[in-house]
Amino acid sequence: GENVEQHPSTLSVQEGDSAVIKCTYSDSASNYFPWYKQELGKRPQLIIDIRSNVGEKKDQRIAVTLNKTAKHFSLHITETQPEDSAVYFCAATSGGGADGLTFGKGTHLIIQP
Amino acid sequence: EAQVTQNPRYLITVTGKKLTVTCSQNMNHEYMSWYRQDPGLGLRQIYYSMNVEVTDKGDVPEGYKVSRKEKRNFPLILESPSPNQTSLYFCASISGGTDTQYFGPGTRLTVL
């Protein structure tokens, strides 16, 4: 089955700086890679996703890049703000998301004022 | 309003006492899934369902059962709960068109 590794487990950045979270996956058949943000005590919320036929996708301050050859994908957050503090999870699936996702273990992003 | 609901939100029970966590969605999605979340382990899939009467095991199915008699409901059943099933449980409903997973609010279960 799929295995997703996520690094780092904790990331502390100054407000206004950029943050990068990296994930690797094992199943070359995986074709859908979403990122979720989970605030304390709340449910995971999808923030951005990418499919295997695209190398990069941006949505305002958030971007995701995918390298299929190396089997890794990354989340980039620019101009970080206090409300970006949360736990971020990457995930991968070869079932298009419908069969369920394999998640990384999460990154706790801390934005220092 | 499109939503996924779970009940109960919090539950403290004792070892061996059967319990059911309900999950319901109003988006007419065919695909639904259950996850458990434990500190340092992320979210792990327990079971998923591709349609009514069609279910399959995820990565950590031991000790759990599910049923899918109607499209909107996907209950999680613990026949004989044990302390290692103490966890935060999330139900998800999946849009077949976009593959987006919509999570329920979560159920925090403690088994003593």
Side-chain angles (χ1 to χ4, degrees):
Chain A
E2 176 66 275
N3 182 51
V4 177
E5 300 280 343
Q6 182 172 348
H7 299 280
S9 57
T10 303
L11 178 61
S12 181
V13 302
Q14 290 293 126
E15 182 178 347
D17 288 351
S18 295
V20 180
I21 302 170
K22 299 181 179 181
C23 288
T24 60
Y25 61 98
S26 61
D27 187 353
S28 56
S30 286
N31 55 14
Y32 176 63
F33 308 92
W35 285 88
Y36 284 82
K37 175 183 180 182
Q38 186 178 29
E39 296 174 347
L40 191 62
K42 297 194 175 179
R43 74 191 80 186
Q45 300 267 15
L46 178 71
I47 55 172
I48 196 166
D49 57 12
I50 192 167
R51 298 185 187 275
S52 57
N53 58 349
V54 176
E56 183 175 1
K57 184 175 178 181
K58 289 184 74 172
D59 183 3
Q60 300 182 0
R61 296 186 297 109
I62 294 172
V64 57
T65 58
L66 171 65
N67 183 327
K68 285 196 307 182
T69 303
K71 289 192 277 188
H72 68 70
F73 56 114
S74 300
L75 177 71
H76 304 254
I77 305 175
T78 59
E79 300 172 13
T80 52
Q81 300 169 4
E83 54 264 36
D84 294 330
S85 292
V87 178
Y88 292 79
F89 293 96
C90 63
T93 183
S94 60
D99 295 344
L101 298 162
T102 299
F103 284 85
K105 290 182 169 52
T107 295
H108 185 194
L109 177 61
I110 301 165
I111 308 301
Q112 303 276 10
Chain B
E1 180 193 350
Q3 60 180 350
V4 180
T5 58
Q6 289 179 231
N7 282 291
R9 296 288 316 280
Y10 304 91
L11 179 61
I12 301 174
T13 189
V14 295
T15 298
K17 186 176 181 181
K18 181 180 179 180
L19 66 92
T20 299
V21 183
T22 65
C23 174
S24 184
Q25 52 97 1
N26 64 358
M27 294 170 277
N28 202 37
H29 291 161
E30 292 181 346
Y31 295 89
M32 298 182 73
S33 190
W34 274 104
Y35 296 89
R36 60 178 289 173
Q37 184 175 22
D38 302 289
L41 297 179
L43 292 101
R44 294 177 292 167
Q45 189 183 37
I46 304 170
Y47 267 94
Y48 62 94
S49 171
M50 291 154 282
N51 213 329
V52 174
E53 303 290 2
V54 182
T55 63
D56 206 350
K57 297 177 181 178
D59 297 320
V60 289
E62 295 77 22
Y64 304 94
K65 284 175 58 177
V66 293
S67 71
R68 188 90 182 276
K69 294 184 169 53
E70 313 163 272
K71 186 182 273 193
R72 63 183 292 121
N73 296 323
F74 189 41
L76 179 70
I77 303 153
L78 284 72
E79 294 269 2
S80 183
S82 62
N84 64 11
Q85 292 178 298
T86 292
S87 188
L88 178 58
Y89 291 87
F90 286 101
C91 176
S93 180
I94 302 111
S95 166
T98 65
D99 297 324
T100 302
Q101 302 223 355
Y102 298 88
F103 284 90
T107 295
R108 185 164 294 283
L109 172 65
T110 301
V111 183
L112 302 174

